[in-house]
Amino acid sequence: MTITDPNPAQSADTSAPLLEVENLQVEFRTREGVARAVNGISYTVQEGQTLAVLGESGSGKSVTAQAIMGIVDSPPGYVTGGAVRFRGTDLLSLPEEERRPYRGEQIAMIFQDALSALNPVFPVGWQIGEMFRVHRGTSRSESRKKAIELMDRVRIPGAAARAGDFPHQFSGGMRQRIMIAMAIALDPAVLIADEPTTALDVTVQAQVMNLLAELQAESRMGLILITHDLGVVADVADDIVVMYAGRAMEQAPVDAIYARPAHPYTKGLLESIPRVDLKGKELSAIKGLPPSLLNIPPGCEFQPRCPYATPLCVAERPPLREVAPGRYASCHYAEEVLNEQR
Ligand code: SF4
């Protein structure tokens, strides 16, 4: 067994942002052609910050997370450009053996489907304890003790008695708590939660989101919440990146986006959330479907679906630019979209 350096970031630049993704590009080379899944995404996560990354399926939000973790399935996936800096160190430039210690130790990830992410044939306490046995060389009895402490921390009732139970003996919400326990076991500086509540019912969703927020407040982790559901992140996120066809359409503090979105796509997403105060009114939906990544439309990626589109939108791809203090949008007409909502 190889015991890796438990804290690769000790030599890192502590004045640098916690995590910086810069102009990241990922493509999948398939028989049908090259699918450009991520086309120059950039964002920064600071200590104690929660960044929500929002988008429909195929927008590139999960592939970006996989590239940060260094787990893009290759082939067919390739990171073709950009940087992922953890406290100033570009992880993409490191050979695999130097990069591996960052995974789990400094940047951890919770996956969408806890049932398939957990091993069905080992008790959950054993699986959580494995984090300590493998990464820290901790003894079996000490690892079990730590696993039970973590199960307590993520509020699994009767943790000591349940450590010997198997994943199928837990509800969906409890399984997701077990995944969270595994992810925070090594005290990561950044936690990426990829649709952590998708498979759960609404009340359990809220409990899991509150748990993540509490754990983050305790440890000052940077938290990246990947979701397709604007409603889920409203109460917990500080900032939002809205992704579409592998690019950022809008980036802004959460309150600003909810009050007045600057991009027609974000506006469409917000208008499609059911609201109690608009009971009886027809729910609006964004027309059409997200584009195939094998065949991204010319100009603005959103133009075939956009009610504001003009010939300029087909001719020129709008860059992501600051359209109001602290907020960015890639739309030729973002100022007009903002102004019409005054
Ligand atoms: Fe719509 Fe044009 Fe703005 Fe794209 S650039 S979002 S098509 S108005």
Side-chain angles (χ1 to χ4, degrees), residues 33-55:
V34 176
R36 302 195 190 285
V38 180
N39 299 306
I41 197 86
S42 300
Y43 54 69
T44 302
V45 183
Q46 305 285 4
E47 255 177 49
Q49 183 192 4
T50 297
L51 177 75
V53 181
L54 184 95

Side-chain angles (χ1 to χ4, degrees), residues 21-26 38-42 64 67 79 81-84 92:
V21 175
E22 189 186 325
N23 196 22
L24 185 70
Q25 292 165 43
V26 185
V38 180
N39 299 306
I41 197 86
S42 300
T64 305
V79 177
V84 173
L92 298 184

Side-chain angles (χ1 to χ4, degrees), residues 30-176:
T30 69
R31 258 188 235 156
E32 290 75 33
V34 176
R36 302 195 190 285
V38 180
N39 299 306
I41 197 86
S42 300
Y43 54 69
T44 302
V45 183
Q46 305 285 4
E47 255 177 49
Q49 183 192 4
T50 297
L51 177 75
V53 181
L54 184 95
E56 293 169 279
S57 314
S59 60
K61 54 196 193 307
S62 296
V63 177
T64 305
Q66 288 164 12
I68 294 170
M69 291 295 289
I71 55 169
V72 172
D73 218 358
S74 184
Y78 298 89
V79 177
T80 54
V84 173
R85 288 186 210 96
F86 177 81
R87 292 195 169 125
T89 302
D90 183 10
L91 304 183
L92 298 184
S93 67
L94 298 180
E96 176 54 25
E97 65 273 17
E98 285 177 39
R99 186 170 187 183
R100 195 174 303 125
Y102 287 86
R103 214 172 284 138
E105 296 277 355
Q106 298 296 342
I107 309 176
M109 188 159 169
I110 303 165
F111 296 91
Q112 188 176 130
D113 181 1
L115 191 55
S116 52
L118 290 166
N119 190 325
V121 299
F122 288 103
V124 297
W126 175 264
Q127 295 187 58
I128 299 169
E130 192 172 29
M131 300 298 293
F132 300 103
R133 294 193 302 278
V134 171
H135 289 264
R136 301 270 158 87
T138 311
S139 69
R140 281 183 181 205
S141 60
E142 185 61 19
S143 299
R144 185 173 189 280
K145 207 170 129 221
K146 283 175 175 289
I148 293 169
E149 281 168 14
L150 274 168
M151 287 173 71
D152 253 335
R153 200 167 156 211
V154 297
R155 307 207 181 78
I156 293 178
R162 300 219 63 190
D165 287 352
F166 293 86
H168 72 270
Q169 293 172 285
F170 290 84
S171 66
M174 287 295 150
R175 278 197 292 268
Q176 200 51 281

Side-chain angles (χ1 to χ4, degrees), residues 258-289:
Y258 276 85
R260 237 166 18 119
H263 195 283
Y265 177 56
T266 320
K267 191 164 174 279
L269 288 175
L270 278 167
E271 286 168 358
S272 60
I273 298 177
R275 284 173 45 184
V276 178
D277 56 326
L278 297 181
K279 202 174 164 197
K281 288 199 178 160
E282 200 180 325
L283 206 56
S284 75
I286 300 172
K287 66 169 187 173
L289 294 169

Side-chain angles (χ1 to χ4, degrees), residues 249 262-265 299-310 312-314 316-318 330-334 337:
M249 295 290 110
H263 195 283
Y265 177 56
C300 172
E301 297 86 342
F302 188 55
Q303 47 91 357
R305 305 173 75 189
C306 181
Y308 296 82
T310 68
L312 173 66
C313 306
V314 182
E316 275 180 36
R317 189 164 95 160
S330 40
C331 173
H332 295 304
Y333 303 106
V337 175

